[in-house]
Amino acid sequence: MLTENQLIDSICEYNPSTNKVLINKAFSLAENAHQNQKRISGDPYISHPLEVAKILTEYKLDDSTIITALLHDTIEDTDLTLGEVKKQFGAEIADLVDGLTKIGKLNLFTKEAEQAENFRKLILAMSNDVRVLIVKLADRLHNMRTINYLPQDKRLVIAKETIEIYAPLSGRLGIQSLKEELEELSFEVINSKARKVILEKLHSLASDSSELISGIQKELSKEILKHKIKFSIEGREKKPYSIWHKMERKSISLEQLSDIYGFRIILNSIDDCYRIIGIVHQKWNAIPGRFKDYISTPKINDYQSIHTTILGPENNRIELQIRTSDMHDVAERGVAAHRNYKDKSLDKEKHTYPWLEDLLEMLEQGESSEDFLENTKLELFQDQVFCFTPKGRIIALPPRATPIDFAFEVHTDIGMKCIGCRINGINSPLYTELLNGDEIQIITDEKSLPPMAWEKIAMTGKAKLAIRRINKEKIKNQYSELGKEILDKHIKVYAKVKKIDNMKDFCSRFGLNSIDDFYSKVGRGEINHEMILKAFSKLKILDNSEEMNLENDIQVNGLSIPVRGFDRNIPFRFAEDSRVVPGDKIFGILDSDSGIIIYSKQSKNLNKHGKDVNSYIDLTWDIDNSLTERFTARIMIDCKNQVGALAKISRAIGLSNANIENLKLVSRSSDFYKLDIDLGVYNLSHLNLMISSVRKLPVVHRVVRVMD
Ligand code: MN
């Protein structure tokens, strides 16, 4: 366990004039106050405030902050009073400890009500003195470091809160290393598998390319040395969470992200920074769009640096960060690097960040908590949208999330039964993009289930998955019920028996082990009328009068051809006689009885479904040139009634690599034939090619496509 002396040693390293007596006094007070308490790990409680204080020494914080860290849990958890702290340490430290106590018990994501108010308190507490927040972050960091002592469910809640609130706040204060450690510790709790995979990949990459990296570093150094500039250069380590985050956000693969090497060059002056950039860009090509000058325009958290990506030695992509050592200090320690947070003589107003000041102003105008979050525009969590339930619970969502995502995020059950919503009291469509601060009331209906089309509207994986799953089940059940009805009808009309004795045996005739699968396939039309009658016949339960008609017209229904462009797990069928091929404009209609029915956009039969446009699903084909399935299209040909005409047509079709699947003479006069030909083609362009080659034949008068 860390000792008080070790803490004081750490402080002395950066602050030789520290008030050891006062630190000692604070330690003794805290140790005494917590003396009968233990952490879940079994350690004496004082180890926690001691470690929090130690973390703060890494950021070289002043004595008041260190003392606040030592005392941060005393008011909440022990008999010590704020008055006593004030008497012994003065108003400044008492205020800091008070700030910590106030935000100490905020449950930003777990409590049902008053979350907006809690968030407001957090911002308020930290605006008084940003050191309150720094101690809070160090407190959270130590709790995350020791989170394994907690039960799994608690770990998850805390890790989620950390990654959604505290890590972005650390980033906002510019304390990069704190942010990264909070992210990594949370990531380990939330998705340790993913983290492990990324770590292993990073390790193998590092060992594979260690020579390459040192080579690049040498060559960069050589180039800079020529110009007699003092510098230091270091490789940059990538963190699993930031890689994961980028992969999720930009949907790119690990390979795409990890073949980039990063270096940081630290210099003595701003002038040197710009000279280096000139030298590097002269020697190697810069990748367009990657040059960012945060020196002339610092980031909102005061971060300064020049970023560029070059095509470096051996054409490797290299990310460079170029900055002065002062800038580097700010980049690592953020707000803690500023000395004037406590320099009240120089700065009569509170020293805060501009964004913090904007926030304060907003708060002072006395807006409601909900308005507050909506109006802050603080970009505190740039990649998240925060919305509220009517009870004030905060729901964090990705950008462009919709009320559907919101509903599923609140509870899967709410998502399942969602039929509409009110945003800020106004009835709104479910595809509305949610904005920060929106209050959403989800309207539910017990009997409703989310339609498949919602999957396209939803942004979160949670909602998409739930929608897909329920639709798969729903449609499978519907097919299954339909299939059972069809079989019952067949038994009634065509069979000599009242029921099939051994259904399992009957199903096995179709190569199926499950009765449910059998019904489902019947419902889908994959097992059709003729196939059922044939099975009846084999079992000798077919009504004799039917036997006659059977032999000739048994054919396998072509509906098992895979259609692309939407989730193939969803049962679907082409509308009867639709004869669409990939490339045709198509619509799906979600029919509550039979799943998705696919129509051509030109189909006259679409009208049958009325004008209920809501049930239309816009489908597209995913045309794959390597596709080997053929689709049936029908063309009608007017041709001259002369010897050899049909042979010429069929040869032209054959040469175009289309199959004639059926050919029907529609009418014949002394001069003309009219033919309907069904063709097996790969897709629309294949069909069009074939049509144009047939059209060129002198015997052909007219060719038209026939659709329903
Ligand atoms: Mn604590």
Side-chain angles (χ1 to χ4, degrees), residues 494-558:
Y494 301 109
K496 290 187 278 196
V497 294
K498 286 236 159 67
K499 70 188 262 288
I500 290 165
D501 287 332
N502 189 341
M503 265 310 283
K504 271 224 121 81
D505 179 55
F506 184 73
C507 295
S508 70
R509 291 177 175 274
F510 297 87
L512 298 169
N513 296 323
S514 136
I515 299 174
D516 227 31
D517 278 356
F518 169 76
Y519 283 141
S520 171
K521 276 184 190 283
V522 173
R524 258 179 243 222
E526 287 172 21
I527 293 171
N528 63 18
H529 173 70
E530 289 83 4
M531 292 158 87
I532 295 171
L533 291 193
K534 195 168 185 190
F536 282 2
S537 167
K538 289 259 169 69
L539 277 175
K540 307 208 183 305
I541 58 168
L542 186 72
D543 198 330
N544 286 331
S545 58
E546 291 294 322
E547 292 277 6
M548 306 291 292
N549 307 322
L550 263 179
E551 291 309 315
N552 296 324
D553 56 308
I554 288 176
Q555 58 169 36
V556 176
N557 193 320

XYZ file of all heavy atoms in Angstrom, residues 494-558:
525
model
N -58.238 -33.544 -50.771
C -57.621 -34.549 -51.640
C -57.333 -35.883 -50.978
O -56.989 -36.839 -51.652
C -56.300 -34.012 -52.201
C -56.449 -32.738 -52.989
C -55.991 -31.524 -52.486
C -57.064 -32.750 -54.253
C -56.128 -30.354 -53.204
C -57.212 -31.584 -54.974
C -56.739 -30.388 -54.448
O -56.874 -29.232 -55.158
N -57.420 -35.938 -49.644
C -56.986 -37.180 -49.000
C -58.168 -38.044 -48.601
O -59.270 -37.554 -48.389
C -56.129 -36.862 -47.786
N -57.871 -39.356 -48.503
C -58.897 -40.295 -48.075
C -58.981 -40.341 -46.560
O -59.880 -40.933 -46.012
C -58.562 -41.694 -48.623
C -58.727 -41.806 -50.121
C -58.566 -43.233 -50.599
C -57.094 -43.572 -50.757
N -56.880 -44.796 -51.578
N -58.009 -39.767 -45.895
C -57.969 -39.826 -44.425
C -58.324 -38.465 -43.831
O -58.346 -37.449 -44.532
C -56.572 -40.252 -43.927
C -56.282 -41.683 -44.339
C -55.520 -39.294 -44.453
N -58.604 -38.456 -42.524
C -58.953 -37.194 -41.858
C -57.714 -36.463 -41.360
O -57.707 -35.254 -41.193
C -59.892 -37.479 -40.674
C -61.298 -37.839 -41.126
C -62.315 -36.884 -40.485
C -63.641 -36.826 -41.231
N -64.408 -38.093 -41.179
N -56.672 -37.253 -41.061
C -55.413 -36.623 -40.669
C -54.239 -37.532 -41.001
O -54.427 -38.736 -41.218
C -55.418 -36.276 -39.167
C -55.365 -37.478 -38.224
C -55.575 -37.026 -36.786
C -54.271 -36.855 -36.010
N -53.587 -38.076 -35.657
N -53.059 -36.929 -41.033
C -51.874 -37.730 -41.306
C -51.373 -38.315 -39.991
O -51.158 -37.592 -39.013
C -50.793 -36.867 -41.980
C -51.254 -36.532 -43.397
C -49.455 -37.595 -42.025
C -50.504 -35.424 -44.055
N -51.234 -39.660 -39.978
C -50.923 -40.330 -38.719
C -49.548 -39.972 -38.194
O -49.397 -39.609 -37.039
C -51.016 -41.856 -38.909
C -52.466 -42.276 -39.039
O -53.326 -41.558 -38.470
O -52.742 -43.276 -39.731
N -48.582 -40.105 -39.069
C -47.222 -39.859 -38.591
C -46.618 -38.649 -39.315
O -46.041 -38.760 -40.388
C -46.380 -41.113 -38.825
C -45.023 -40.993 -38.158
O -44.581 -39.879 -37.831
N -44.364 -42.112 -37.964
N -46.796 -37.488 -38.693
C -46.345 -36.252 -39.331
C -44.832 -36.241 -39.526
O -44.331 -35.742 -40.518
C -46.764 -35.031 -38.500
C -48.064 -34.383 -38.925
S -48.181 -34.019 -40.693
C -47.179 -32.563 -40.847
N -44.092 -36.774 -38.540
C -42.618 -36.768 -38.633
C -42.175 -37.542 -39.871
O -41.315 -37.083 -40.623
C -42.006 -37.409 -37.363
C -41.756 -36.409 -36.269
C -40.386 -36.647 -35.627
C -39.471 -35.529 -35.705
N -39.159 -34.442 -35.185
N -42.788 -38.684 -40.054
C -42.474 -39.523 -41.200
C -42.849 -38.799 -42.502
O -42.111 -38.813 -43.482
C -43.252 -40.840 -41.065
C -42.991 -41.755 -42.242
O -41.802 -42.028 -42.495
O -43.955 -42.160 -42.920
N -44.011 -38.137 -42.454
C -44.483 -37.401 -43.625
C -43.475 -36.301 -44.004
O -43.122 -36.127 -45.172
C -45.868 -36.801 -43.320
C -46.502 -36.100 -44.487
C -47.014 -36.819 -45.569
C -46.598 -34.715 -44.515
C -47.594 -36.169 -46.646
C -47.181 -34.057 -45.587
C -47.684 -34.795 -46.654
N -42.997 -35.586 -42.989
C -42.043 -34.494 -43.232
C -40.729 -35.023 -43.785
O -40.085 -34.379 -44.617
C -41.762 -33.720 -41.949
S -43.207 -32.883 -41.336
N -40.333 -36.199 -43.312
C -39.048 -36.737 -43.750
C -39.081 -37.037 -45.251
O -38.042 -37.099 -45.901
C -38.685 -37.986 -42.947
O -39.561 -39.038 -43.307
N -40.283 -37.209 -45.809
C -40.386 -37.392 -47.252
C -39.920 -36.147 -48.019
O -39.631 -36.214 -49.205
C -41.846 -37.692 -47.654
C -42.277 -39.035 -47.169
C -43.703 -39.374 -47.468
N -43.910 -40.751 -47.045
C -43.637 -41.797 -47.811
N -43.215 -41.631 -49.042
N -43.791 -43.015 -47.347
N -39.915 -35.045 -47.322
C -39.445 -33.801 -47.956
C -38.027 -33.461 -47.481
O -37.544 -32.348 -47.657
C -40.384 -32.639 -47.611
C -41.782 -32.847 -48.140
C -42.729 -33.538 -47.397
C -42.143 -32.381 -49.403
C -43.999 -33.761 -47.897
C -43.417 -32.593 -49.902
C -44.349 -33.289 -49.147
N -37.415 -34.450 -46.832
C -36.061 -34.237 -46.343
C -36.001 -33.322 -45.131
O -34.993 -32.684 -44.875
N -37.101 -33.241 -44.381
C -37.138 -32.321 -43.246
C -37.342 -33.081 -41.942
O -38.115 -34.028 -41.882
C -38.271 -31.310 -43.426
C -38.145 -30.398 -44.654
C -39.429 -29.634 -44.882
C -36.971 -29.451 -44.476
N -36.629 -32.639 -40.903
C -36.759 -33.288 -39.604
C -37.804 -32.625 -38.736
O -38.325 -33.224 -37.814
C -35.428 -33.242 -38.859
C -34.370 -34.032 -39.586
O -34.666 -35.084 -40.172
N -33.153 -33.525 -39.589
N -38.087 -31.375 -39.034
C -38.966 -30.650 -38.128
C -40.302 -30.344 -38.788
O -40.370 -29.903 -39.945
C -38.265 -29.364 -37.672
O -39.158 -28.285 -37.700
N -41.350 -30.605 -38.055
C -42.701 -30.347 -38.561
C -42.887 -28.850 -38.798
O -43.495 -28.417 -39.776
C -43.751 -30.884 -37.551
C -43.567 -32.400 -37.384
C -45.170 -30.575 -38.016
C -44.433 -33.026 -36.326
N -42.293 -28.085 -37.893
C -42.376 -26.632 -38.012
C -41.748 -26.135 -39.320
O -42.303 -25.285 -40.012
C -41.643 -26.010 -36.826
C -42.468 -24.925 -36.186
O -43.719 -25.036 -36.224
O -41.870 -23.970 -35.669
N -40.571 -26.694 -39.632
C -39.906 -26.330 -40.887
C -40.785 -26.686 -42.075
O -40.889 -25.935 -43.045
C -38.576 -27.089 -41.027
C -37.470 -26.404 -40.254
O -37.741 -25.325 -39.699
O -36.356 -26.967 -40.207
N -41.419 -27.848 -41.980
C -42.277 -28.298 -43.071
C -43.413 -27.292 -43.297
O -43.634 -26.805 -44.401
C -42.839 -29.687 -42.760
C -43.940 -30.106 -43.695
C -43.650 -30.531 -44.992
C -45.272 -30.053 -43.293
C -44.665 -30.901 -45.863
C -46.286 -30.418 -44.164
C -45.983 -30.847 -45.447
N -44.113 -26.949 -42.201
C -45.225 -25.998 -42.329
C -44.743 -24.678 -42.899
O -45.379 -24.070 -43.759
C -45.865 -25.750 -40.962
C -46.774 -26.869 -40.507
C -46.803 -27.275 -39.177
C -47.628 -27.511 -41.416
C -47.629 -28.292 -38.745
C -48.463 -28.537 -40.991
C -48.457 -28.925 -39.654
O -49.286 -29.915 -39.244
N -43.592 -24.274 -42.400
C -43.058 -22.995 -42.831
C -42.772 -23.005 -44.338
O -43.067 -22.057 -45.054
C -41.812 -22.714 -42.007
O -41.152 -21.617 -42.498
N -42.214 -24.109 -44.829
C -41.919 -24.204 -46.260
C -43.193 -24.290 -47.087
O -43.263 -23.749 -48.194
C -41.030 -25.425 -46.541
C -39.554 -25.131 -46.315
C -38.704 -26.310 -46.689
C -37.259 -26.131 -46.238
N -36.499 -25.216 -47.095
N -44.212 -24.949 -46.554
C -45.497 -24.992 -47.262
C -46.068 -23.575 -47.332
O -46.517 -23.117 -48.383
C -46.491 -25.944 -46.559
C -47.874 -25.852 -47.206
C -45.981 -27.379 -46.609
N -45.970 -22.886 -46.209
C -46.508 -21.528 -46.162
C -45.800 -20.604 -47.135
O -46.398 -19.724 -47.743
N -44.523 -20.828 -47.303
C -43.735 -20.008 -48.208
C -43.918 -20.387 -49.663
O -43.457 -19.692 -50.552
C -42.261 -20.249 -47.905
C -41.623 -19.183 -47.123
C -40.208 -19.607 -46.917
N -40.034 -19.769 -45.491
C -38.959 -19.363 -44.852
N -37.978 -18.832 -45.528
N -38.873 -19.490 -43.557
N -44.510 -21.557 -49.906
C -44.664 -22.010 -51.278
C -43.474 -22.801 -51.774
O -43.422 -23.186 -52.936
N -42.520 -23.051 -50.903
C -41.375 -23.846 -51.340
C -41.761 -25.311 -51.487
O -41.179 -26.055 -52.258
C -40.201 -23.690 -50.357
C -39.541 -22.340 -50.470
C -38.520 -22.097 -49.385
O -38.031 -23.074 -48.786
O -38.228 -20.907 -49.127
N -42.736 -25.727 -50.691
C -43.360 -27.029 -50.927
C -44.759 -26.714 -51.433
O -45.547 -26.080 -50.724
C -43.426 -27.859 -49.630
C -42.004 -28.221 -49.194
C -44.278 -29.101 -49.823
C -41.933 -28.853 -47.815
N -45.044 -27.100 -52.671
C -46.292 -26.637 -53.266
C -47.353 -27.723 -53.369
O -47.140 -28.873 -52.976
C -46.004 -25.984 -54.621
C -45.410 -26.987 -55.601
O -45.507 -28.206 -55.409
N -44.781 -26.470 -56.638
N -48.454 -27.328 -53.873
C -49.614 -28.182 -54.088
C -49.248 -29.553 -54.660
O -49.555 -30.592 -54.077
C -50.541 -27.415 -55.053
C -51.706 -28.177 -55.539
N -52.756 -28.514 -54.707
C -51.996 -28.654 -56.778
C -53.656 -29.175 -55.424
N -53.225 -29.269 -56.670
N -48.543 -29.535 -55.784
C -48.236 -30.799 -56.462
C -47.353 -31.691 -55.600
O -47.535 -32.912 -55.572
C -47.535 -30.531 -57.806
C -48.426 -29.954 -58.874
C -48.569 -28.443 -58.747
O -47.904 -27.845 -57.855
O -49.347 -27.856 -59.508
N -46.406 -31.083 -54.921
C -45.497 -31.878 -54.099
C -46.259 -32.539 -52.951
O -45.983 -33.685 -52.590
C -44.363 -30.992 -53.566
C -43.422 -30.527 -54.675
S -42.520 -29.036 -54.211
C -41.117 -29.723 -53.371
N -47.216 -31.826 -52.400
C -48.015 -32.409 -51.318
C -48.845 -33.577 -51.854
O -48.878 -34.662 -51.265
C -48.941 -31.347 -50.682
C -48.097 -30.264 -49.998
C -49.902 -31.989 -49.672
C -48.897 -29.066 -49.529
N -49.491 -33.356 -53.017
C -50.314 -34.421 -53.583
C -49.477 -35.643 -53.920
O -49.899 -36.777 -53.730
C -51.034 -33.925 -54.847
C -52.129 -32.882 -54.611
C -52.973 -32.703 -55.858
C -53.012 -33.237 -53.425
N -48.260 -35.389 -54.396
C -47.391 -36.511 -54.734
C -47.049 -37.316 -53.479
O -47.030 -38.553 -53.505
C -46.115 -36.001 -55.404
C -45.376 -37.125 -56.100
C -44.280 -36.605 -56.999
C -43.660 -37.786 -57.758
N -42.449 -37.382 -58.472
N -46.799 -36.603 -52.397
C -46.509 -37.294 -51.136
C -47.733 -38.086 -50.667
O -47.611 -39.214 -50.188
C -46.085 -36.284 -50.076
N -48.931 -37.500 -50.825
C -50.170 -38.230 -50.498
C -50.234 -39.517 -51.303
O -50.563 -40.581 -50.796
C -51.401 -37.378 -50.853
C -51.711 -36.298 -49.850
C -50.909 -36.097 -48.735
C -52.831 -35.479 -50.013
C -51.209 -35.107 -47.823
C -53.128 -34.493 -49.099
C -52.314 -34.297 -48.009
N -49.900 -39.375 -52.588
C -49.971 -40.511 -53.487
C -49.028 -41.618 -53.035
O -49.396 -42.790 -52.982
C -49.641 -40.026 -54.894
O -49.411 -41.113 -55.741
N -47.821 -41.251 -52.672
C -46.836 -42.243 -52.216
C -47.338 -42.961 -50.968
O -47.114 -44.145 -50.779
C -45.506 -41.546 -51.904
C -44.773 -41.071 -53.153
C -43.649 -42.037 -53.498
C -43.052 -41.743 -54.889
N -42.320 -40.475 -54.908
N -48.014 -42.214 -50.096
C -48.535 -42.792 -48.852
C -49.837 -43.544 -49.080
O -50.413 -44.087 -48.163
C -48.773 -41.681 -47.825
C -47.596 -41.195 -46.998
C -48.003 -40.026 -46.127
C -47.040 -42.319 -46.122
N -50.288 -43.485 -50.316
C -51.555 -44.111 -50.718
C -52.734 -43.578 -49.911
O -53.641 -44.308 -49.510
C -51.470 -45.646 -50.581
C -50.283 -46.251 -51.298
C -50.559 -47.678 -51.723
C -49.343 -48.329 -52.390
N -48.816 -47.575 -53.539
N -52.716 -42.307 -49.658
C -53.874 -41.701 -49.001
C -54.526 -40.684 -49.936
O -55.431 -39.963 -49.563
C -53.479 -40.991 -47.673
C -52.415 -39.912 -47.927
C -53.016 -41.980 -46.630
C -52.186 -38.997 -46.735
N -54.045 -40.668 -51.191
C -54.606 -39.708 -52.133
C -55.935 -40.221 -52.662
O -56.077 -41.403 -52.989
C -53.629 -39.486 -53.288
C -54.013 -38.403 -54.273
C -53.856 -37.025 -53.651
C -53.168 -38.499 -55.542
N -56.880 -39.352 -52.708
C -58.168 -39.668 -53.303
C -57.923 -40.104 -54.751
O -57.243 -39.403 -55.497
C -59.041 -38.394 -53.276
C -60.508 -38.756 -53.471
O -60.769 -39.769 -54.166
O -61.353 -38.035 -52.919
N -58.475 -41.280 -55.157
C -58.126 -41.867 -56.456
C -58.350 -40.931 -57.636
O -57.623 -40.954 -58.610
C -58.934 -43.150 -56.687
C -58.385 -44.255 -55.802
O -57.195 -44.240 -55.481
N -59.243 -45.166 -55.381
N -59.383 -40.123 -57.544
C -59.733 -39.281 -58.679
C -58.627 -38.282 -59.023
O -58.584 -37.744 -60.119
C -61.031 -38.518 -58.394
O -60.847 -37.741 -57.225
N -57.723 -38.062 -58.067
C -56.666 -37.077 -58.320
C -55.459 -37.676 -59.043
O -54.700 -36.956 -59.677
C -56.191 -36.450 -57.000
C -57.214 -35.559 -56.347
C -57.507 -34.314 -57.175
O -56.576 -33.755 -57.779
O -58.688 -33.920 -57.230
N -55.306 -39.014 -58.903
C -54.099 -39.672 -59.420
C -53.795 -39.300 -60.864
O -52.657 -39.041 -61.236
C -54.240 -41.201 -59.337
C -54.269 -41.745 -57.930
C -52.863 -41.923 -57.365
O -51.897 -41.514 -58.023
O -52.757 -42.467 -56.253
N -54.837 -39.295 -61.683
C -54.715 -39.101 -63.121
C -53.869 -37.871 -63.510
O -53.017 -37.944 -64.368
C -56.106 -38.919 -63.755
C -57.068 -40.017 -63.432
S -56.576 -41.557 -64.230
C -56.861 -41.114 -65.945
N -54.177 -36.786 -62.833
C -53.616 -35.507 -63.288
C -52.182 -35.262 -62.848
O -51.590 -34.268 -63.211
C -54.474 -34.358 -62.748
C -55.917 -34.577 -63.094
O -56.217 -35.060 -64.187
N -56.808 -34.267 -62.168
N -51.694 -36.191 -62.041
C -50.464 -35.848 -61.348
C -49.179 -35.902 -62.153
O -48.389 -34.973 -62.132
C -50.295 -36.756 -60.134
C -50.766 -36.141 -58.840
C -50.566 -37.136 -57.715
C -50.011 -34.851 -58.556
N -49.029 -37.016 -62.840
C -47.698 -37.355 -63.335
C -46.990 -36.220 -64.073
O -45.801 -35.999 -63.892
C -47.765 -38.611 -64.229
C -48.083 -39.872 -63.456
C -47.174 -40.064 -62.234
O -45.945 -39.863 -62.387
O -47.683 -40.382 -61.139
N -47.720 -35.501 -64.890
C -47.038 -34.604 -65.823
C -46.576 -33.262 -65.271
O -45.515 -32.782 -65.629
C -47.935 -34.351 -67.025
C -48.151 -35.640 -67.769
O -47.237 -36.459 -67.859
N -49.356 -35.856 -68.249
N -47.377 -32.662 -64.426
C -47.063 -31.259 -64.156
C -46.448 -31.000 -62.783
O -46.637 -29.964 -62.181
C -48.289 -30.379 -64.369
C -49.448 -30.849 -63.522
O -49.767 -32.043 -63.587
O -50.010 -30.041 -62.792
N -45.664 -31.942 -62.311
C -44.949 -31.652 -61.073
C -43.701 -30.824 -61.378
O -42.893 -31.182 -62.207
C -44.543 -32.949 -60.355
C -45.799 -33.591 -59.776
C -43.531 -32.664 -59.260
C -45.548 -34.905 -59.128
N -43.599 -29.740 -60.771
C -42.383 -28.938 -60.950
C -42.048 -28.245 -59.635
O -42.917 -27.949 -58.832
C -42.577 -27.907 -62.055
C -43.739 -26.972 -61.794
C -43.735 -25.809 -62.763
O -43.381 -25.960 -63.910
N -44.121 -24.655 -62.281
N -40.771 -28.025 -59.479
C -40.366 -27.366 -58.244
C -40.568 -25.864 -58.388
O -40.157 -25.261 -59.358
C -38.890 -27.675 -57.919
C -38.435 -26.913 -56.699
C -38.727 -29.172 -57.720
N -41.249 -25.338 -57.445
C -41.491 -23.903 -57.436
C -40.164 -23.154 -57.336
O -39.302 -23.494 -56.551
C -42.366 -23.599 -56.219
C -42.925 -22.218 -56.278
O -42.229 -21.295 -56.669
N -44.176 -22.089 -55.918
N -40.007 -22.154 -58.131
C -38.718 -21.452 -58.205
C -38.494 -20.414 -57.127
O -37.582 -19.618 -57.207
